[in-house]
Amino acid sequence: MIPKTSQRLDNLPPYAFAALGRRLEAMRAEGKDVIRLDVGSPDMPPPDPVIEKLIESARNPAHHGYSGYRGTPDFREACAEYYSRRFGVELNPDTEVLPCIGSKEGIANIALAFLEPGYVALVPDPAYPTYSRGAYLAGADVYYMPLLAENDFLPDLDAIPEDVLNRARLLWLNYPNNPTGAVADMDFLRKAVAFCREHGLLLCSDNPYADVTYDGYRAHSVLEVEGAKEVAVEFNSLSKLYNMAGWRIGMCVGNPDAVAALFQVKSNVDTGHFRAVLDAAALALRETDAEWIAARNAEYQKRRDLILAALPEIGLDARRPKAALYVWARVVDGDDKEYAERALNEALVSITPGSVYGRAGRGYIRFSLGTATDLVEEAMNRLRRWYK
């Protein structure tokens, strides 16, 4: 017998992909050949020099102790150099950059730094679940901002009630967006920064797909907005930037007071990264060339186009995404959960029902591009045969 779990767990549903992973393991143990188009995990490796740097650093006997709560100065400097080169944003590596264990950990922990019972996090709907889960862990409330197709999947900030704004502390944005693939222009980002300044909010931008783009599109950082560092931090991750999802290395950058608050939480609950990962990540940020990124994105674009071409034949409809790792498809006639369940059981293709990401995701299906191109093609053919 153990004590009853805390009330925060009562308010915290199981993580959808953890449950799905267990189910797929059982199906494969039964001999069922399931193709996964659900989880957004890149299937291709990082650049070869990054892997070689990991090996070189790991062979150094001095690199196996604790690396420090704030990572290495070299990694923080590489993050600042990336933001300067990519977005024209200048960061102080000592006060405005903090390594995270991926970005998921930092996203959850910043809620512990700024939220408590009675406060509110403003969270998009649909959205990456950790934005709301972090708030629930902190005992705070969540106000969901619908992302609707008629508004290009951007939140209507002016529709947030005044009584909610009076209790709000964090505003979450994520562009290029998971799960919708939507993008935000500089006019919207300027409006968001001004909105947060007016209402005393910390703007938390989650930007891991900035370099996963198609058809010549170039994504922005919210920190490009003049004065954004006064009210904003941005989370980024090498998981999607350089196919390093399993390496668990990311960053929080921006407002130095917010970065310091996150550090106060993190330094009490984790002890930093393996030095070899930091060294390899610094090299990735500095030396991954545009040709490697373009070639990687071209492969994703092939997969995107294979999925888009099949949608009219399988009862789905979607906009052509300019960025991110997903196709967000509307179920033309039916229910997203039923559609995904039947696709899994009858076509052996695992896709994600949009309702996993929130109430406004109902009626949509998310396809991930993080599966080998030949398997994407086979999956779409299976869905064609099944849907007929």
Side-chain angles (χ1 to χ4, degrees):
M1 297 291 292
I2 63 171
K4 183 181 184 302
T5 56
S6 67
Q7 186 176 352
R8 69 173 58 89
L9 282 191
D10 295 338
N11 297 328
L12 194 70
Y15 197 68
F17 287 106
L20 176 62
R22 290 193 296 272
R23 182 177 177 187
L24 295 180
E25 285 178 7
M27 291 181 71
R28 285 171 172 163
E30 296 170 359
K32 296 177 179 177
D33 176 26
V34 178
I35 299 177
R36 296 195 68 172
L37 299 182
D38 52 80
V39 68
S41 179
D43 63 303
M44 295 177 279
D48 287 342
V50 177
I51 299 171
E52 291 161 8
K53 184 66 176 179
L54 177 79
I55 296 168
E56 174 194 322
S57 182
R59 292 190 186 282
N60 188 326
H63 287 184
H64 294 268
Y66 295 123
S67 62
Y69 295 101
R70 298 174 62 240
T72 59
D74 184 58
F75 174 75
R76 297 195 306 274
E77 289 164 6
C79 293
E81 291 168 18
Y82 167 79
Y83 264 81
S84 177
R85 181 180 69 251
R86 175 65 177 79
F87 300 112
V89 171
E90 300 305 317
L91 297 168
N92 183 324
D94 293 326
T95 61
E96 297 177 338
V97 178
L98 182 65
C100 295
I101 303 172
S103 56
K104 183 178 182 179
E105 164 268 319
I107 288 167
N109 277 328
I110 203 161
L112 298 179
F114 285 94
L115 298 176
E116 57 192 38
Y119 289 168
V120 172
L122 305 174
V123 173
D125 174 16
Y128 183 50
T130 306
Y131 309 147
S132 58
R133 302 304 192 264
Y136 292 141
L137 283 170
D141 298 320
V142 174
Y143 178 83
Y144 290 103
M145 305 177 294
L147 305 185
L148 305 177
E150 54 265 35
N151 199 34
D152 295 325
F153 298 109
L154 298 171
D156 183 356
L157 301 178
D158 297 328
I160 302 171
E162 192 66 29
D163 63 318
V164 172
L165 285 172
N166 289 338
R167 297 193 295 127
R169 294 297 181 271
L170 303 181
L171 168 68
W172 282 101
L173 295 178
N174 165 224
Y175 295 99
N177 184 258
N178 173 21
T180 70
V183 297
D185 62 20
M186 286 299 296
D187 286 343
F188 175 79
L189 296 179
R190 291 187 191 97
K191 178 176 180 177
V193 168
F195 182 85
C196 289
R197 182 178 289 112
E198 177 184 356
H199 295 286
L201 306 174
L202 177 64
L203 196 166
C204 296
S205 167
D206 184 25
N207 198 18
Y209 301 100
D211 286 339
V212 182
T213 58
Y214 315 112
D215 304 319
Y217 176 73
R218 185 173 176 83
H220 297 289
S221 164
V222 74
L223 297 179
E224 292 178 59
V225 176
E226 185 175 356
K229 280 196 293 183
E230 297 172 10
V231 296
V233 290
E234 186 157 275
F235 291 88
N236 214 321
S237 172
L238 279 74
S239 295
K240 308 303 191 298
L241 288 179
Y242 304 122
N243 298 357
M244 296 167 67
W247 300 45
R248 309 314 302 137
I249 180 71
M251 67 198 83
C252 175
V253 303
N255 182 275
D257 294 329
V259 168
L262 178 59
F263 172 72
Q264 188 171 349
V265 174
K266 283 177 53 57
S267 59
N268 278 283
V269 298
D270 75 63
T271 316
H273 297 77
F274 179 29
R275 171 64 184 271
V277 170
L278 291 165
D279 290 345
L283 185 142
L285 287 163
R286 287 192 174 106
E287 298 188 20
T288 301
D289 60 36
E291 289 184 5
W292 184 90
I293 292 173
R296 187 270 312 273
N297 290 351
E299 199 65 27
Y300 285 153
Q301 187 166 321
K302 288 180 189 176
R303 302 170 187 181
R304 179 201 68 173
D305 293 345
L306 283 169
I307 293 170
L308 290 172
L311 295 186
E313 303 174 57
I314 59 174
L316 302 174
D317 176 66
R319 299 183 182 188
R320 183 178 299 272
K322 296 179 181 179
L325 200 57
Y326 313 104
V327 172
W328 185 241
R330 182 178 64 88
V331 182
V332 175
D333 183 20
D335 173 80
D336 60 298
K337 287 186 176 180
E338 180 186 7
Y339 189 102
E341 184 70 16
R342 290 188 60 200
L344 177 58
N345 289 327
E346 299 172 25
L348 297 181
V349 176
S350 180
I351 49 182
T352 310
S355 51
V356 164
Y357 301 97
R359 184 183 299 270
R362 292 175 181 173
Y364 286 87
I365 296 291
R366 194 194 78 166
F367 291 85
S368 169
L369 307 180
T371 298
T373 304
D374 61 334
L375 290 177
V376 172
E377 185 170 18
E378 169 61 20
M380 304 320 293
N381 286 333
R382 288 185 186 185
L383 291 172
R384 285 184 176 100
R385 292 192 294 269
W386 159 70
Y387 193 77
K388 288 180 180 179

